[in-house]
Amino acid sequence: MEYGILCLLPIAVMLAVAIITRKCISSMVIAILVGCVIIGGTGWFSTFIDQVYTTGCNEDTVWIVCLMCVVGVLVALFQASGGAHVLVKIVEKKVKGERNLYLWSWLLSALLFIDDMMRSSVIGQMTPLFDRFKVPRASVAYYIDSTSTTVTSLVPLTNWAVFFQGVFAGFVELEYLGNGFDIYVKTIPFNFYAIAALLVCFGFTMGWVPKLGGMKKAYERVQTTGELYSKASIPLNPEEKVNEEEKDPKAPVRLVVFIAGIAILTASILVTGDVLSGFFIGVFSMCALLFITRLCTWKEIMTAAIEGEARIIQMPLISFFVYMFKDIVTTLQVPEYIISICESFLSPVFFPLITFIACALLTFCSGSTWGVTVVYALVAVPLSVSIGADPVVVLAAILSGEAFGAHVCFYCDYTVFASAMAKIDNIEHAFTQVPYGIIGGALAAIGFLVSGIVMA
């Protein structure tokens, strides 16, 4: 059955609701219901239930949902080890200045690649140390935000990367590229925004990239008044009593367990060749290490695991509804309809650049990094194959666009969380980092234009 232009209605509804409400799950469920009404008519509810069973029994759905769940548990176990806190204490003793402090922060960020929230919270714990060296809070927030969106998309073992691996694995057009992990790894060299933003941020922290706009004013304010943040951020920084911490006799053990856990996880994935197997081995190993070393009781390990699962529950839910929505879109023959319209005039040279800009706008408008651009991918992947554009570059453009949109969005979860960790007003943080985000975006746009020309 051909649905014509009506097939685009679920996508339009999903984007409209997401932009208005900035809620990804509810917008996707509403769009799915609209699709079921179009497909099933008065029997829409039976169509919906049938689709729930179909999606739930799909091998790719089971893989990504299980993986998301086990990632949440493993991250919680890493936090329970206390190793990250020990790393912060080690850094505090070795720092000699702002540049040196940022170098240690970069090292910490590399070690804490597994989870963006854990990485950001650990750097946030170092805020008093940045204060000691008169580093503006705007600078700290920019660093936290930049390393969140970029490291998360460049490292294939993060929860965000795992989510997109599940999405990529669902495309029949990409089967020749390997599994979801293989496909994601192939996109990394073309993830131009993440690479550019990291380089700009590193140059900024080393003093090689000049202070611009609001960031320049923030540094000037520190030099003239000594104030590390504006008046808008004062309510976020009440006076606190500083209590001397007792020496932790288990600190060396905590650090060894933490680093051993990361090493086992990485080695397991490389040896087995399967991300899910690697993460399960990581969970079992961390449980054993925490229990054997008596860093945690069995009850504390189980509590941490449950709390970790609760923290990321939206990710497996989004993954499930993404696959469900993909099936609806496929049934409505949306890719075929759009290809029939665009194939004759859409150039493979400019398609990666168009994708980057479109995904950046979608993410900026919705404030969501968990599914809105997936809707674009459902059409972009088959369309790229049809017009002769390199699908790997197009996928990288989707990832880059989402990272760019999230980085410069004032109300994105990454921006809000970075502000909270640095204890700075969200708007102050957003405006001071925008110039650097735009620089990274411009460099990425050039990269996708050039790659489109070379690889078309």
Side-chain angles (χ1 to χ4, degrees), residues 74-83 118 254 286 290 295-296 300-301 304-305:
L74 184 57
V75 169
L77 295 178
F78 276 124
Q79 292 176 326
S81 73
M118 178 172 68
R254 294 184 188 280
M286 281 301 294
L290 290 172
L295 290 179
C296 297
E300 289 171 338
I301 292 172

PDB file of all heavy atoms in Angstrom, residues 74-83 118 254 286 290 295-296 300-301 304-305:
ATOM      1  N   LEU A  74      27.591  -0.947  35.013  1.00  0.00           N
ATOM      2  CA  LEU A  74      29.057  -0.875  35.079  1.00  0.00           C
ATOM      3  C   LEU A  74      29.530   0.502  35.521  1.00  0.00           C
ATOM      4  O   LEU A  74      30.452   0.619  36.346  1.00  0.00           O
ATOM      5  CB  LEU A  74      29.659  -1.233  33.720  1.00  0.00           C
ATOM      6  CG  LEU A  74      31.194  -1.288  33.662  1.00  0.00           C
ATOM      7  CD1 LEU A  74      31.736  -2.288  34.682  1.00  0.00           C
ATOM      8  CD2 LEU A  74      31.681  -1.651  32.272  1.00  0.00           C
ATOM      9  N   VAL A  75      28.920   1.542  34.997  1.00  0.00           N
ATOM     10  CA  VAL A  75      29.300   2.905  35.392  1.00  0.00           C
ATOM     11  C   VAL A  75      29.081   3.102  36.892  1.00  0.00           C
ATOM     12  O   VAL A  75      29.916   3.690  37.590  1.00  0.00           O
ATOM     13  CB  VAL A  75      28.493   3.944  34.583  1.00  0.00           C
ATOM     14  CG1 VAL A  75      28.679   5.348  35.179  1.00  0.00           C
ATOM     15  CG2 VAL A  75      28.940   3.938  33.126  1.00  0.00           C
ATOM     16  N   ALA A  76      27.972   2.591  37.409  1.00  0.00           N
ATOM     17  CA  ALA A  76      27.678   2.709  38.836  1.00  0.00           C
ATOM     18  C   ALA A  76      28.719   1.971  39.680  1.00  0.00           C
ATOM     19  O   ALA A  76      29.113   2.438  40.757  1.00  0.00           O
ATOM     20  CB  ALA A  76      26.279   2.172  39.124  1.00  0.00           C
ATOM     21  N   LEU A  77      29.178   0.816  39.205  1.00  0.00           N
ATOM     22  CA  LEU A  77      30.195   0.059  39.933  1.00  0.00           C
ATOM     23  C   LEU A  77      31.536   0.795  39.927  1.00  0.00           C
ATOM     24  O   LEU A  77      32.270   0.776  40.927  1.00  0.00           O
ATOM     25  CB  LEU A  77      30.348  -1.335  39.314  1.00  0.00           C
ATOM     26  CG  LEU A  77      29.120  -2.255  39.434  1.00  0.00           C
ATOM     27  CD1 LEU A  77      29.388  -3.585  38.734  1.00  0.00           C
ATOM     28  CD2 LEU A  77      28.760  -2.487  40.894  1.00  0.00           C
ATOM     29  N   PHE A  78      31.858   1.438  38.812  1.00  0.00           N
ATOM     30  CA  PHE A  78      33.075   2.262  38.774  1.00  0.00           C
ATOM     31  C   PHE A  78      32.985   3.383  39.806  1.00  0.00           C
ATOM     32  O   PHE A  78      33.957   3.686  40.503  1.00  0.00           O
ATOM     33  CB  PHE A  78      33.275   2.857  37.375  1.00  0.00           C
ATOM     34  CG  PHE A  78      33.974   1.939  36.415  1.00  0.00           C
ATOM     35  CD1 PHE A  78      33.399   1.584  35.209  1.00  0.00           C
ATOM     36  CD2 PHE A  78      35.232   1.427  36.714  1.00  0.00           C
ATOM     37  CE1 PHE A  78      34.041   0.746  34.316  1.00  0.00           C
ATOM     38  CE2 PHE A  78      35.889   0.578  35.834  1.00  0.00           C
ATOM     39  CZ  PHE A  78      35.292   0.235  34.630  1.00  0.00           C
ATOM     40  N   GLN A  79      31.837   4.019  39.898  1.00  0.00           N
ATOM     41  CA  GLN A  79      31.652   5.090  40.874  1.00  0.00           C
ATOM     42  C   GLN A  79      31.744   4.559  42.300  1.00  0.00           C
ATOM     43  O   GLN A  79      32.303   5.209  43.178  1.00  0.00           O
ATOM     44  CB  GLN A  79      30.304   5.774  40.643  1.00  0.00           C
ATOM     45  CG  GLN A  79      30.243   6.563  39.344  1.00  0.00           C
ATOM     46  CD  GLN A  79      28.881   7.167  39.074  1.00  0.00           C
ATOM     47  OE1 GLN A  79      27.861   6.583  39.427  1.00  0.00           O
ATOM     48  NE2 GLN A  79      28.849   8.323  38.438  1.00  0.00           N
ATOM     49  N   ALA A  80      31.209   3.363  42.530  1.00  0.00           N
ATOM     50  CA  ALA A  80      31.237   2.765  43.863  1.00  0.00           C
ATOM     51  C   ALA A  80      32.658   2.441  44.319  1.00  0.00           C
ATOM     52  O   ALA A  80      32.948   2.435  45.524  1.00  0.00           O
ATOM     53  CB  ALA A  80      30.390   1.493  43.884  1.00  0.00           C
ATOM     54  N   SER A  81      33.544   2.215  43.360  1.00  0.00           N
ATOM     55  CA  SER A  81      34.934   1.903  43.721  1.00  0.00           C
ATOM     56  C   SER A  81      35.644   3.089  44.361  1.00  0.00           C
ATOM     57  O   SER A  81      36.587   2.914  45.140  1.00  0.00           O
ATOM     58  CB  SER A  81      35.708   1.460  42.476  1.00  0.00           C
ATOM     59  OG  SER A  81      35.970   2.566  41.610  1.00  0.00           O
ATOM     60  N   GLY A  82      35.201   4.313  44.030  1.00  0.00           N
ATOM     61  CA  GLY A  82      35.833   5.505  44.585  1.00  0.00           C
ATOM     62  C   GLY A  82      37.166   5.841  43.934  1.00  0.00           C
ATOM     63  O   GLY A  82      37.872   6.748  44.380  1.00  0.00           O
ATOM     64  N   GLY A  83      37.513   5.139  42.864  1.00  0.00           N
ATOM     65  CA  GLY A  83      38.805   5.365  42.212  1.00  0.00           C
ATOM     66  C   GLY A  83      38.929   6.737  41.583  1.00  0.00           C
ATOM     67  O   GLY A  83      40.013   7.334  41.597  1.00  0.00           O
ATOM     68  N   MET A 118      29.891  10.860  34.739  1.00  0.00           N
ATOM     69  CA  MET A 118      30.922  10.594  35.745  1.00  0.00           C
ATOM     70  C   MET A 118      32.127  11.488  35.499  1.00  0.00           C
ATOM     71  O   MET A 118      32.692  12.065  36.441  1.00  0.00           O
ATOM     72  CB  MET A 118      31.332   9.123  35.699  1.00  0.00           C
ATOM     73  CG  MET A 118      32.433   8.766  36.694  1.00  0.00           C
ATOM     74  SD  MET A 118      32.755   6.993  36.813  1.00  0.00           S
ATOM     75  CE  MET A 118      33.461   6.650  35.202  1.00  0.00           C
ATOM     76  N   ARG A 254      41.440   1.323  45.891  1.00  0.00           N
ATOM     77  CA  ARG A 254      40.382   1.913  45.070  1.00  0.00           C
ATOM     78  C   ARG A 254      40.912   2.266  43.676  1.00  0.00           C
ATOM     79  O   ARG A 254      40.251   2.016  42.660  1.00  0.00           O
ATOM     80  CB  ARG A 254      39.826   3.172  45.740  1.00  0.00           C
ATOM     81  CG  ARG A 254      39.108   2.916  47.049  1.00  0.00           C
ATOM     82  CD  ARG A 254      38.506   4.195  47.609  1.00  0.00           C
ATOM     83  NE  ARG A 254      37.989   4.004  48.941  1.00  0.00           N
ATOM     84  CZ  ARG A 254      36.809   3.442  49.220  1.00  0.00           C
ATOM     85  NH1 ARG A 254      36.042   3.033  48.230  1.00  0.00           N
ATOM     86  NH2 ARG A 254      36.408   3.302  50.463  1.00  0.00           N
ATOM     87  N   MET A 286      34.117  -6.281  37.903  1.00  0.00           N
ATOM     88  CA  MET A 286      34.029  -5.221  38.907  1.00  0.00           C
ATOM     89  C   MET A 286      33.319  -5.712  40.162  1.00  0.00           C
ATOM     90  O   MET A 286      33.715  -5.358  41.285  1.00  0.00           O
ATOM     91  CB  MET A 286      33.302  -4.007  38.328  1.00  0.00           C
ATOM     92  CG  MET A 286      34.163  -3.125  37.441  1.00  0.00           C
ATOM     93  SD  MET A 286      35.619  -2.447  38.300  1.00  0.00           S
ATOM     94  CE  MET A 286      34.840  -1.360  39.502  1.00  0.00           C
ATOM     95  N   LEU A 290      35.344  -5.555  43.649  1.00  0.00           N
ATOM     96  CA  LEU A 290      34.814  -4.769  44.766  1.00  0.00           C
ATOM     97  C   LEU A 290      34.567  -5.640  45.990  1.00  0.00           C
ATOM     98  O   LEU A 290      34.801  -5.218  47.133  1.00  0.00           O
ATOM     99  CB  LEU A 290      33.507  -4.077  44.348  1.00  0.00           C
ATOM    100  CG  LEU A 290      33.629  -2.935  43.340  1.00  0.00           C
ATOM    101  CD1 LEU A 290      32.255  -2.485  42.869  1.00  0.00           C
ATOM    102  CD2 LEU A 290      34.384  -1.757  43.936  1.00  0.00           C
ATOM    103  N   LEU A 295      35.988  -3.425  49.261  1.00  0.00           N
ATOM    104  CA  LEU A 295      35.639  -2.010  49.104  1.00  0.00           C
ATOM    105  C   LEU A 295      34.135  -1.815  49.285  1.00  0.00           C
ATOM    106  O   LEU A 295      33.684  -0.752  49.715  1.00  0.00           O
ATOM    107  CB  LEU A 295      36.057  -1.518  47.711  1.00  0.00           C
ATOM    108  CG  LEU A 295      37.555  -1.384  47.448  1.00  0.00           C
ATOM    109  CD1 LEU A 295      37.798  -0.922  46.016  1.00  0.00           C
ATOM    110  CD2 LEU A 295      38.195  -0.412  48.434  1.00  0.00           C
ATOM    111  N   CYS A 296      33.370  -2.841  48.947  1.00  0.00           N
ATOM    112  CA  CYS A 296      31.911  -2.794  49.097  1.00  0.00           C
ATOM    113  C   CYS A 296      31.411  -4.148  49.577  1.00  0.00           C
ATOM    114  O   CYS A 296      31.989  -5.189  49.244  1.00  0.00           O
ATOM    115  CB  CYS A 296      31.232  -2.473  47.759  1.00  0.00           C
ATOM    116  SG  CYS A 296      31.637  -0.870  47.054  1.00  0.00           S
ATOM    117  N   GLU A 300      25.908  -3.487  49.115  1.00  0.00           N
ATOM    118  CA  GLU A 300      26.278  -2.190  48.535  1.00  0.00           C
ATOM    119  C   GLU A 300      26.500  -2.306  47.021  1.00  0.00           C
ATOM    120  O   GLU A 300      26.158  -1.396  46.267  1.00  0.00           O
ATOM    121  CB  GLU A 300      27.543  -1.665  49.222  1.00  0.00           C
ATOM    122  CG  GLU A 300      27.309  -1.211  50.655  1.00  0.00           C
ATOM    123  CD  GLU A 300      28.604  -0.896  51.375  1.00  0.00           C
ATOM    124  OE1 GLU A 300      29.674  -1.396  50.949  1.00  0.00           O
ATOM    125  OE2 GLU A 300      28.552  -0.159  52.382  1.00  0.00           O
ATOM    126  N   ILE A 301      27.064  -3.429  46.583  1.00  0.00           N
ATOM    127  CA  ILE A 301      27.279  -3.645  45.146  1.00  0.00           C
ATOM    128  C   ILE A 301      25.937  -3.718  44.419  1.00  0.00           C
ATOM    129  O   ILE A 301      25.742  -3.088  43.369  1.00  0.00           O
ATOM    130  CB  ILE A 301      28.083  -4.935  44.903  1.00  0.00           C
ATOM    131  CG1 ILE A 301      29.521  -4.771  45.421  1.00  0.00           C
ATOM    132  CG2 ILE A 301      28.111  -5.293  43.410  1.00  0.00           C
ATOM    133  CD1 ILE A 301      30.333  -6.048  45.393  1.00  0.00           C
ATOM    134  N   ALA A 304      24.253  -0.282  44.345  1.00  0.00           N
ATOM    135  CA  ALA A 304      24.885   0.575  43.340  1.00  0.00           C
ATOM    136  C   ALA A 304      24.418   0.191  41.945  1.00  0.00           C
ATOM    137  O   ALA A 304      24.139   1.056  41.102  1.00  0.00           O
ATOM    138  CB  ALA A 304      26.407   0.462  43.435  1.00  0.00           C
ATOM    139  N   ALA A 305      24.313  -1.120  41.691  1.00  0.00           N
ATOM    140  CA  ALA A 305      23.886  -1.591  40.374  1.00  0.00           C
ATOM    141  C   ALA A 305      22.466  -1.140  40.065  1.00  0.00           C
ATOM    142  O   ALA A 305      22.165  -0.673  38.960  1.00  0.00           O
ATOM    143  CB  ALA A 305      23.984  -3.111  40.310  1.00  0.00           C
TER     144      ALA A 305
END
